[in-house]
């Protein structure tokens, strides 16, 4: 099999939960996002980067991912990527076309092995970037729990062109589609769910100031601050009002494709989890909240 075309870059994610849009004020006043646009039962939150939205809030009866959002450079790349997805056996939800929601764009959607919906778009109406201190500028990465880590990793690599950056023992794999160390990471788990979503701050001072802002609003990190081994990124995890784990991060390792070799990091060496030794390993409560609620994925297509 020839080398796969690669998904362009991670744009963001749309989440759903009961009363999700009622949490807009939290994301604006505490987390540091802005409200890009709002519709019936949905709100699109933007960062300081050029993406029209990076975190979506949708009202639903269940908790989980509505879709993970990726970008492609142009229509030619999108069409080629679509044909590759079909040829490699992906469950495709339609041919490339114009989306009719407030974000729009040209693209298509597919389902991953855990029936998560993945959206690929191009030709979005980008916005001017802002050089603003201590506010999130983009989604750094999305971490997914999966009951079959090896098969899911294989699918992301063979169908979507992701590459392995590192492993955390045999329990976690970090996958990249750009120079960022990971845009998607997979965690071995009993069921499919979202583990956490990480928001990138412009620099380390912004990262710390974001933690301070949350603290002033009465919420301390559930884990952190610390600095991970894989990816070398600072971390501070919080629990959102809907119960999802969200993270401030910055300084994620940039991969040189000509020299990088994937490494297997230990999970028993404290330095792997937290190189600063300020946060230590996650507590049982933190691991439980990162396990999330079971997410059956896109309705109507899952086999019995």
């Amino acid at each position: 099999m020839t080398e796969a075309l690669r998904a362009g870059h991670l744009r963001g994610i749309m989440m759903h939960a009961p009363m999700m849009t009622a949490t807009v004020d939290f994301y604006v006043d505490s987390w540091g996002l802005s409200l890009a646009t709002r519709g019936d039962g949905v709100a699109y939150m933007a960062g300081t980067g050029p993406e029209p939205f990076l975190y979506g809030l949708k009202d639903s009866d269940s908790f989980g991912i509505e879709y993970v959002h990726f970008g492609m450079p142009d229509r030619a790349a999108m069409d080629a990527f679509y044909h590759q997805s079909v040829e490699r056996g992906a469950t495709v939800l339609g041919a490339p076309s114009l989306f009719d929601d407030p974000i729009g764009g040209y693209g298509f959607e597919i389902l991953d092995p855990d029936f998560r919906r993945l959206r690929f778009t191009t030709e979005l109406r980008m916005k001017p970037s802002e050089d603003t201190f201590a506010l999130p500028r983009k989604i750094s990465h999305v971490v997914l729990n999966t009951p079959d880590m090896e098969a899911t990793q294989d699918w992301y690599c063979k169908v979507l062109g992701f590459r392995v950056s590192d492993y955390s023992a045999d329990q976690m794999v970090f996958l990249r589609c750009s120079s960022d160390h990971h845009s998607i990471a997979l965690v071995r788990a009993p069921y499919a769910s979202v583990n956490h979503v990480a928001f990138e701050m412009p620099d380390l001072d912004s990262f710390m100031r974001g933690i301070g802002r949350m603290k002033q609003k009465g919420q301390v990190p559930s884990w952190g601050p610390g600095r991970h081994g894989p990816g070398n990124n600072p971390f501070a995890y919080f629990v959102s009002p809907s119960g999802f784990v969200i993270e401030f991060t910055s300084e994620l390792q940039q991969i040189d494709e000509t020299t990088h070799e994937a490494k297997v990091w230990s999970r028993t060496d404290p330095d792997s989890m937290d190189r600063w030794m300020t946060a230590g390993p996650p507590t049982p409560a933190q691991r439980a909240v990162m396990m999330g609620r079971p997410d059956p994925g896109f309705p109507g297509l899952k086999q019995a």
Side-chain angles (χ1 to χ4, degrees), residues 94-174:
S97 62
L98 294 172
F99 289 101
D100 62 0
D101 59 29
I103 301 305
Y106 174 84
F108 69 102
E109 296 178 332
I110 64 177
L111 300 183
D112 82 357
D114 289 322
F115 293 86
R116 298 183 182 91
R117 186 157 51 127
L118 311 179
R119 176 176 293 192
F120 301 87
T121 59
T122 189
E123 300 179 358
L124 298 190
R125 296 180 297 275
M126 308 301 279
K127 65 183 187 64
S129 294
E130 308 164 48
D131 185 15
T132 308
F133 178 63
L135 299 181
R137 64 182 176 189
K138 74 172 191 176
I139 294 296
S140 169
H141 52 272
V142 174
V143 178
L144 305 170
N145 298 319
T146 177
D148 193 338
M149 192 179 82
E150 287 80 9
T152 306
Q153 170 193 327
D154 188 61
W155 185 89
Y156 272 85
C157 292
K158 289 185 177 179
V159 177
L160 304 185
F162 279 75
R163 297 177 184 177
V164 174
S165 293
D166 281 312
Y167 295 92
S168 178
D170 63 349
Q171 296 300 303
M172 192 171 184
V173 59
F174 300 87

Side-chain angles (χ1 to χ4, degrees), residues 123-288:
E123 300 179 358
L124 298 190
R125 296 180 297 275
M126 308 301 279
K127 65 183 187 64
S129 294
E130 308 164 48
D131 185 15
T132 308
F133 178 63
L135 299 181
R137 64 182 176 189
K138 74 172 191 176
I139 294 296
S140 169
H141 52 272
V142 174
V143 178
L144 305 170
N145 298 319
T146 177
D148 193 338
M149 192 179 82
E150 287 80 9
T152 306
Q153 170 193 327
D154 188 61
W155 185 89
Y156 272 85
C157 292
K158 289 185 177 179
V159 177
L160 304 185
F162 279 75
R163 297 177 184 177
V164 174
S165 293
D166 281 312
Y167 295 92
S168 178
D170 63 349
Q171 296 300 303
M172 192 171 184
V173 59
F174 300 87
L175 304 174
R176 68 184 185 276
C177 61
S178 65
S179 62
D180 286 349
H181 177 270
H182 57 289
S183 296
I184 295 290
L186 305 173
V187 179
R188 192 184 305 281
Y191 49 79
S193 59
V194 60
N195 186 287
H196 69 271
V197 177
F199 296 73
E200 182 182 278
M201 290 296 211
D203 51 44
L204 193 58
D205 282 345
S206 291
F207 165 80
M208 292 302 295
R209 182 62 173 266
I211 297 171
R213 181 175 63 246
M214 288 289 286
K215 198 171 181 181
Q216 293 298 316
K217 298 289 185 177
Q219 191 164 351
V220 299
S222 56
W223 184 29
R227 186 185 281 273
H228 287 311
N232 197 37
N233 53 305
F235 66 86
Y237 295 87
F238 295 83
V239 181
S240 78
S242 298
F244 296 120
V245 178
I246 49 179
E247 175 192 3
F248 282 143
T249 191
S250 65
E251 300 182 349
L252 183 66
Q253 178 185 353
Q254 297 300 292
I255 297 296
D256 181 345
E257 295 287 358
T258 64
T259 61
H260 183 75
E261 295 183 7
K263 173 182 174 180
V264 180
W265 292 78
S266 169
R267 290 177 75 86
T268 58
D269 180 359
D271 189 57
S272 294
M273 285 285 187
D274 177 17
R275 306 187 80 172
W276 287 343
M277 301 297 286
T278 53
T283 64
Q286 180 67 29
R287 291 188 185 279

Side-chain angles (χ1 to χ4, degrees), residues 20-41:
M20 189 71 166
T21 58
T23 68
V24 165
D25 288 348
F26 164 81
Y27 286 102
V28 173
D29 298 336
S30 300
W31 200 245
L33 302 180
S34 61
L35 178 61
T37 187
R38 192 166 189 166
D40 184 17

Side-chain angles (χ1 to χ4, degrees), residues 63-111:
F63 294 83
I65 295 173
E66 187 71 13
Y67 61 84
V68 185
H69 190 197
F70 297 91
M72 297 296 288
D74 52 42
R75 285 200 182 203
M78 183 69 70
D79 292 342
F81 193 66
Y82 165 75
H83 290 299
Q84 172 180 279
S85 300
V86 172
E87 290 167 359
R88 300 196 175 194
T91 301
V92 179
L93 300 182
S97 62
L98 294 172
F99 289 101
D100 62 0
D101 59 29
I103 301 305
Y106 174 84
F108 69 102
E109 296 178 332
I110 64 177
L111 300 183

Side-chain angles (χ1 to χ4, degrees), residues 46-67:
T48 61
E51 294 291 342
F53 94 102
L54 50 78
Y55 198 72
L57 315 174
K58 183 175 180 180
D59 295 332
S60 172
D61 293 334
S62 62
F63 294 83
I65 295 173
E66 187 71 13
Y67 61 84

